[in-house]
């Protein structure tokens, strides 16, 4: 199959701009798959393997959320600026600006899954399907599970982490080395990390404004504005077929993911036995097969009589 065409650029978003990448050609009968990356404060890079779906006929949209990557950087903005409503508005602006708002599937990974679920709960008429990948339904559940996962770390590793967290020295090399023990177990089990994931990780580390304000210093030490946020109350309002993805060793443990399965009416859950938080990188062949099967089950606009 020929390589899908790729377009890149920026969309105005108020006084700012959002960087995007479109692989394939929307508007040819199959919904665009719009990838909503995690963080908050990460970048699209670690989700680039989704471009393989364009070779199967589904156009794929990536974008960098405001504050990171190719989008506007705003290091002087405080917590009152970085809100859920801001990122929901940016997503809606992207869908309209790229002309895909009438026919699209959302793929939300980690924090992006929560954002995508919140968007889907508003029942946008053009949304055909939803993929919740490695996302908690609640940060309260997430924080409780982080304590459980931390308890399984070597005692000296957790002691090092807690010493730096108490001292406010989470930007040190020693904290990073101890943090990697958790990440290598529960975020990405491929060592060395794949290039795409390294790219996003380094982008976040080099520009931590959004991540530090909304999340905190690490995946397992959530102290930011999202620490009590939940989408559970919105899940019964999601009406589209929903695929839930998580890994056996995922930091998004079954306890954090289960509300999606229980509360979204048309939901099914695929567990990847050899993966943690990145099944699209850790088990790429099975992941691609699961995604293609799911997307085919949605049909096309023509089949729906549109």
């Amino acid at each position: 199959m020929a390589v899908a065409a790729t377009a890149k650029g920026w969309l105005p978003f108020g006084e700012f701009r959002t960087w995007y990448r479109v692989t394939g050609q929307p508007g040819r009968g199959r919904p665009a798959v719009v990838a909503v990356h995690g963080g908050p404060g990460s970048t699209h890079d670690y989700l680039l393997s989704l471009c393989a779906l364009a070779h199967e006929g589904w156009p794929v949209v990536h974008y960098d959320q405001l504050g990171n990557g190719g989008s506007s950087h705003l290091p002087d903005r405080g917590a009152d600026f970085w809100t859920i409503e801001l990122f929901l508005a940016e997503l809606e602006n992207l869908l309209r600006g790229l002309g895909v708002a009438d026919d699209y599937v959302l793929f939300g990974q980690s924090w992006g899954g929560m954002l995508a679920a919140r968007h889907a709960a508003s029942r946008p008429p053009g949304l055909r399907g939803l993929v919740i990948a490695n996302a908690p339904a609640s940060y309260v559940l997430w924080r409780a599970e982080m304590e459980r996962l931390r308890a399984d770390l070597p005692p000296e590793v957790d002691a090092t982490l807690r010493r730096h967290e108490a001292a406010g020295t989470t930007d040190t090399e020693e904290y990073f080395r101890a943090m990697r023990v958790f990440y290598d177990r529960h975020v990405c089990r491929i060592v060395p990390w794949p290039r795409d994931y390294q790219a996003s990780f380094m982008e976040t580390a080099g520009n931590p404004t959004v991540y530090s304000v909304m999340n905190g210093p690490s995946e397992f030490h959530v102290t930011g504005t999202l620490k009590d946020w939940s989408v559970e109350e919105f899940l019964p309002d999601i009406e589209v077929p929903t695929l839930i993805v998580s890994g056996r060793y995922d930091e998004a443990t079954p306890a954090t993911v289960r509300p999606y399965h229980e509360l979204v009416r048309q939901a099914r859950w695929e567990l990847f036995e050899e993966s943690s938080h990145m099944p699209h990188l850790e088990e790429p062949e099975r992941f691609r097969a699961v995604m293609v099967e799911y997307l085919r089950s949605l049909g096309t606009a023509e089949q729906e009589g549109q």
Side-chain angles (χ1 to χ4, degrees):
M1 183 175 292
V3 176
T6 301
K8 302 177 184 179
W10 289 270
L11 278 176
F13 175 48
E15 60 185 296
F16 314 117
R17 64 181 192 172
T18 300
W19 181 93
Y20 69 86
R21 166 186 171 134
V22 180
T23 306
Q25 295 182 313
R28 296 196 169 186
R30 284 183 167 176
V33 178
V34 180
V36 186
H37 67 68
S42 187
T43 63
H44 77 284
D45 302 84
Y46 77 101
L47 294 176
L48 276 173
S49 64
L50 291 176
C51 289
L53 296 173
H55 296 272
E56 303 284 349
W58 287 274
V60 178
V61 175
H62 288 88
Y63 75 106
D64 286 334
Q65 294 163 23
L66 191 65
N68 287 85
S71 296
S72 298
H73 289 202
L74 302 162
D76 297 327
R77 300 297 177 108
D80 58 337
F81 179 80
W82 302 109
T83 64
I84 296 151
E85 291 72 23
L86 172 75
F87 291 106
L88 286 171
E90 182 185 34
L91 175 56
E92 291 164 6
N93 183 73
L94 177 88
L95 297 170
R96 292 193 305 269
L98 293 181
V100 300
D102 292 335
D103 193 24
Y104 66 103
V105 173
L106 276 190
F107 178 95
Q109 203 275 340
S110 199
W111 133 267
M114 298 183 75
L115 192 68
R118 184 67 184 85
H119 172 88
S122 67
R123 301 177 182 174
L127 181 65
R128 306 295 173 223
L130 175 66
V131 182
I132 301 292
N134 320 98
S138 158
Y139 275 97
V140 174
L141 291 173
W142 177 273
R143 288 190 287 115
E145 288 296 282
M146 290 306 101
E147 288 301 313
R148 186 178 66 79
L149 294 179
R150 287 178 68 145
D152 291 335
L153 293 173
E156 66 277 9
V157 172
D158 196 38
T160 298
L161 293 169
R162 293 186 187 279
R163 173 164 50 82
H164 283 287
E165 289 162 2
T169 52
T170 55
D171 58 348
T172 62
E173 180 64 25
E174 187 180 36
Y175 186 84
F176 176 79
R177 288 197 302 270
M179 181 182 74
R180 274 294 302 260
V181 177
F182 182 96
Y183 279 48
D184 288 346
R185 288 186 179 193
H186 300 299
V187 181
C188 185
R189 294 170 68 85
I190 302 172
V191 179
W193 284 345
R195 182 180 62 183
D196 290 350
Y197 176 57
Q198 286 191 52
S200 285
F201 184 89
M202 296 310 295
E203 284 269 6
T204 306
N207 179 28
T209 300
V210 182
Y211 188 80
S212 61
V213 167
M214 298 186 75
N215 185 84
S218 68
E219 296 291 278
F220 48 80
H221 188 51
V222 180
T223 57
T225 57
L226 292 179
K227 66 185 182 69
D228 295 317
W229 186 48
S230 171
V231 296
E232 288 181 272
E233 66 181 290
F234 301 102
L235 300 183
D237 295 327
I238 296 174
E239 295 185 328
V240 295
T242 299
L243 172 64
I244 304 162
V245 171
S246 67
R248 172 65 66 187
Y249 306 100
D250 206 330
E251 59 179 352
T253 64
T256 72
V257 173
R258 190 168 292 114
Y260 292 108
H261 193 236
E262 293 177 345
L263 298 174
V264 177
R265 283 187 289 274
Q266 298 185 68
R268 69 179 179 92
W269 189 353
E270 289 283 344
L271 183 68
F272 286 73
E273 293 290 345
E274 304 301 324
S275 295
S276 56
H277 202 52
M278 307 279 170
H280 61 286
L281 298 176
E282 295 165 296
E283 294 181 68
E285 292 183 5
R286 184 181 169 223
F287 176 84
R288 181 172 176 173
V290 167
M291 282 294 297
V292 168
E293 178 191 15
Y294 166 71
L295 291 169
R296 284 178 178 159
S297 75
L298 300 178
T300 65
E302 286 81 358
Q303 289 169 337
E304 295 173 4
Q306 297 181 4

